[in-house]
Amino acid sequence: MSTRHFEVNFDGLVGPTHNYAGLSFGNVASLSNAKASSSPRSAAKQGLAKMKALHDMGMVQGVFAPHERPNIDVLRRLGFTGNDGEVLYKAATQAPEIYQAVCSASSMWTANAATVSPGADTADGKVHFTPANLTNKFHRSLEPMTSGRILQSMFANPRYFEHHLHLPDNEHFGDEGAANHTRLCSNYGNAGVEIFTFGRYAFDSSQPAPTKFPARQTYEASRAIARLHGLSDENTVYLQQNPDVIDQGVFHNDVIAVGNRNVLFYHEQAFLDTEAKLAEIQQKFGDEKVHFICVKTSEVSVADAVQTYLFNTQLLSMPDGSMAIIAPTECQENPRVSAYLDELVQRNTPIQKVHYFDVKQSMRNGGGPACLRLRVALNDDELAAVNPAVIMSDGLFVRLNDWVDKHYREELSVNDLRDPQLLTESRSALDELTQILKLGSVYPFQID
């Protein structure tokens, strides 16, 4: 029997402290919805509904656990003392901006959890994981250690999986994970071309860089990940984001481009030196044609792409061999973007269908369908070595919905984050979740 190959999407489960604090400078949606009330329960259920829908379409779908929030350990490192309740009260009253940051549920966007290279690409034939250090934003820089522990619990077998420590915690090696990484291949089991997209050169200020919003990914970080993963120059391409689109709110490459197998779907303003870089991708890809689907500004503006997250969609190969876009309903509601997608599926390209999903709770914080998932290409043996409790099933879907109903608040305002009961609720929820997903002790409160 021949070996089968899959691309498995591991979606982030939204955490109990999901809120709109507007923490992400450079992310237009996050800033525009700052201070609005959120619904953690609705957000988690919207995410679960998307996971279940992809499972029902025949996709292999996984679940990625949220992080412990509020992050008490960090508050103690910052000088807040006393018991847990006293630490929370002091931080919330003396430094509310810091307190809101340590309550962020941003780990839901697992496209930033890590960069993953499948065994078909790596020198040792193992699947390699490097958690992203996310140094550009304080609230996100708190994530890599816990993300690493969760990944090691999900992908524990050292015969198939290799885990690296995140890159040094410094802006010179700012790394945002899979949100700035795309892999093209003829099929998931074959060696592919790994495309690392970066915003600036950390050690060469003469190179182009944005002036309004930060470039979160550096060239040097991307090169380091490729070295750690044992990738060759023959299967890597380094592609610089257009600084002008970063300044228009394209904080990650997955806001302006998405790829799958032999398709790269991108906006014409996405990159620098586009023509030469696309030629390099095609040359390294080999004889099979890469479908470069370029969206013109006259078809969809950068502003519309950012507002609807046209490119922060999932581009999936379906079990029947077709390729489909998983888009947020914001794309359907925008007449220009909706018209473009209606026309796209009539063209002679591999993309033949569009499925719309409501993920508004995530969208309002600046994360679309693609932000919510980490892609991992696996073969039969590797998939069998994954912790089976994190793979979506009908039973797991029911159990996780019941878990959300039991532990999550229907509504949460920024002021509610001060409630010391929220920490107790969150820890109780996560303690039960680690038992459901058989993760072991991955959270600081469990380890300490």
Side-chain angles (χ1 to χ4, degrees), residues 338-403:
S338 177
Y340 175 82
L341 288 172
D342 287 345
E343 190 269 333
L344 174 63
V345 296
Q346 303 302 319
R347 294 186 196 174
N348 186 27
T349 81
I351 302 174
Q352 296 171 20
K353 298 175 185 173
V354 180
H355 301 281
Y356 294 100
F357 287 88
D358 180 0
V359 288
K360 281 184 167 55
Q361 285 286 322
S362 175
M363 287 285 288
R364 288 173 188 154
N365 237 355
C371 284
L372 287 163
R373 61 94 170 96
L374 181 69
R375 298 189 283 186
V376 185
L378 301 167
N379 64 31
D380 280 317
D381 293 336
E382 292 160 347
L383 180 58
V386 175
N387 173 357
V390 302
I391 301 299
M392 181 55 69
S393 65
D394 293 350
L396 182 59
F397 177 71
V398 171
R399 194 170 182 191
L400 289 176
N401 270 284
D402 289 344
W403 172 81

Side-chain angles (χ1 to χ4, degrees), residues 197-364:
T197 310
F198 63 95
R200 67 184 178 93
Y201 292 84
F203 291 91
D204 187 353
S205 59
S206 69
Q207 296 289 342
T211 57
K212 180 182 179 183
F213 291 141
R216 304 187 187 187
Q217 182 90 22
T218 68
Y219 169 75
E220 291 81 0
S222 297
R223 294 293 306 219
I225 298 289
R227 283 193 295 272
L228 286 169
H229 290 195
L231 305 180
S232 71
D233 288 340
E234 287 70 40
N235 71 341
T236 51
V237 174
Y238 300 93
L239 186 55
Q240 186 168 4
Q241 281 185 278
N242 178 355
D244 291 340
V245 297
I246 295 177
D247 283 338
Q248 292 178 64
V250 179
F251 53 99
H252 291 136
N253 180 61
D254 67 2
V255 179
I256 204 73
V258 61
N260 176 55
R261 291 186 59 168
N262 63 343
V263 173
L264 184 64
F265 180 48
Y266 68 100
H267 195 278
E268 69 173 336
Q269 295 187 48
F271 311 120
L272 291 183
D273 198 20
T274 304
E275 192 172 332
K277 286 296 178 181
L278 297 187
E280 182 183 352
I281 292 168
Q282 180 63 74
Q283 181 264 318
K284 290 181 175 179
F285 193 85
D287 295 334
E288 184 181 340
K289 177 186 176 184
V290 177
H291 295 266
F292 295 111
I293 302 175
C294 176
V295 180
K296 304 292 187 184
T297 305
S298 58
E299 295 173 309
V300 177
S301 68
V302 172
D304 276 345
V306 171
Q307 187 265 321
T308 63
Y309 275 11
L310 168 61
F311 297 97
N312 198 250
T313 49
Q314 292 175 255
L315 188 54
L316 301 178
S317 293
M318 309 305 289
D320 66 3
S322 66
M323 204 174 287
I325 286 177
I326 306 298
T329 50
E330 282 78 357
C331 289
Q332 196 173 24
E333 293 158 3
N334 180 298
R336 294 170 297 280
V337 173
S338 177
Y340 175 82
L341 288 172
D342 287 345
E343 190 269 333
L344 174 63
V345 296
Q346 303 302 319
R347 294 186 196 174
N348 186 27
T349 81
I351 302 174
Q352 296 171 20
K353 298 175 185 173
V354 180
H355 301 281
Y356 294 100
F357 287 88
D358 180 0
V359 288
K360 281 184 167 55
Q361 285 286 322
S362 175
M363 287 285 288
R364 288 173 188 154

